[in-house]
Amino acid sequence: VPELPEVEVTRRRIAPHLVGRRIRRVRTTRPSYFFVTPPARLRRALAGRTATDLERHGKYLLAPLDDGTRLVLHLGMTGQLFSAAATSPRLLSATARASLAPEEQPSFRPDAHTHLRFEFEDGGPEVYFRDTRKFGKVLWLPDGKAHPRLARLGTDALEVSGALLFTATRGRRVAIKSLLLDQSILAGVGNIYADEALFLAGVRPTRSAARVTRRECDAIARGLKRVLARSIETGGSSISDYVAPDGRDGEYQSERRVYARRGEPCFECATPIARVVVGARSSHYCPRCQR
Ligand SMILES: [Zn+2]
């Protein structure tokens, strides 16, 4: 599942292919739950427009357009946003991949899962949004209109601070792990990063949020920024279907200290990493280093 770092990596890599290029037309697949804005309306709204920027809030990508409207994209679980100029062998079917000679550059042909195809006035490479499971979303926001999905989002996780966490945790009896995953408090913190940040701060995922001290809130905020920044640097975690827009896989997962390391020795104290379910999410921690 693409988390904040993967979405940020996607944003940085796709922006040069999208921003400042006038859209000639957008081709879509048929209406489905992928399209929050109906495809016909989307095609009309985007023809002739130019994205002036590509921003991110939590796991949402927002492209302000030159007429004051905005295009919003969410990668969902398997969404891939990439340029025809930079595709990955992993986007090809196994058969197509096997038939490639080593010196052949893989090329991607839009398929039934390619829900958006941006064609540009400059005639250059198209930009595709492909999503095999359609948990991704696309919507178009007319001028000035906010969408409930976006209005509900808390502070972007890269902007987290100890003060913010301390305020948000006072009087809350929910587990600190669940609070970190609450998108109305922090937008874009996923399971991996919450577990890793709590390890760095020495706080158990099950501890009541109200019982986390100010000093520990500072440490959790520092930990979150550190793991998110490091994951962005290495290109995302690439645990499942995530493929970077130019086909490079993320490498962050090799740096995990606790996430999905149940039973393996803690790198600090050699105690086996434990797993516990918190708010229906699997959580990993060191029983000795985290209290
Ligand atoms: Zn330990």
Side-chain angles (χ1 to χ4, degrees), residues 69-255:
T69 67
R70 284 179 298 165
L71 176 68
V72 181
L73 305 169
H74 192 287
L75 298 178
M77 296 180 72
T78 53
Q80 299 163 320
L81 186 62
F82 57 99
S83 161
T87 58
S88 160
R90 276 179 60 180
L91 291 166
L92 301 175
S93 72
T95 324
R97 216 159 40 220
S99 68
L100 286 176
E103 71 278 10
E104 271 184 307
Q105 282 297 311
S107 65
F108 170 77
R109 291 223 182 107
D111 57 10
H113 304 297
T114 312
H115 302 298
L116 292 176
R117 299 174 56 179
F118 297 87
E119 275 182 33
F120 299 95
E121 291 287 357
D122 60 22
E126 297 185 3
V127 167
Y128 304 128
F129 190 146
R130 181 172 185 266
D131 190 355
T132 53
R133 294 177 67 185
K134 288 200 286 199
F135 290 121
K137 292 278 173 276
V138 57
L139 60 138
W140 173 72
L141 299 176
D143 193 12
K145 287 212 176 153
H147 191 276
R149 281 172 188 278
L150 295 167
R152 276 199 300 268
L153 290 179
T155 304
D156 185 78
L158 282 182
E159 310 293 323
V160 65
S161 67
L164 183 154
L165 276 182
F166 189 68
T167 305
T169 49
R170 290 314 87 189
R172 298 292 308 275
R173 296 173 70 177
V174 67
I176 182 66
K177 168 76 182 281
S178 299
L179 187 131
L180 292 180
L181 294 181
D182 182 343
Q183 300 294 302
S184 70
I185 294 171
L186 284 179
V189 178
N191 211 24
I192 307 174
Y193 305 102
D195 279 6
E196 295 294 313
L198 287 170
F199 174 79
L200 290 175
V203 175
R204 263 190 214 203
T206 48
R207 188 172 343 151
S208 164
R211 298 192 55 229
V212 178
T213 66
R214 173 58 206 261
R215 188 182 288 255
E216 287 169 332
C217 284
D218 288 343
I220 294 170
R222 270 199 312 275
L224 274 175
K225 285 183 164 177
R226 180 169 153 196
V227 294
L228 289 169
R230 182 63 191 142
S231 187
I232 290 166
E233 252 174 55
T234 56
S237 62
S238 192
I239 293 260
S240 60
D241 292 312
Y242 171 74
V243 177
D246 63 357
R248 278 181 286 168
D249 290 346
E251 287 159 359
Y252 181 74
Q253 61 167 324
S254 61
E255 298 184 17

Side-chain angles (χ1 to χ4, degrees), residues 199 266 268-271 286 288-289:
F199 174 79
C266 169
E268 298 294 327
C269 73
T271 302
C286 171
R288 185 159 172 197
C289 295

Side-chain angles (χ1 to χ4, degrees), residues 53-57 60-64 70-73 141 150:
D53 199 358
L54 188 61
E55 302 157 357
R56 183 192 54 73
H57 190 133
Y60 286 87
L61 289 171
L62 297 94
R70 284 179 298 165
L71 176 68
V72 181
L73 305 169
L141 299 176
L150 295 167

Side-chain angles (χ1 to χ4, degrees), residues 2-23:
E3 301 217 38
L4 184 152
E6 288 85 347
V7 179
E8 177 62 16
V9 169
T10 297
R11 186 191 71 77
R12 291 179 188 182
R13 290 187 187 162
I14 206 67
H17 299 285
L18 190 65
V19 176
R21 297 177 73 194
R22 188 159 186 248
I23 298 164

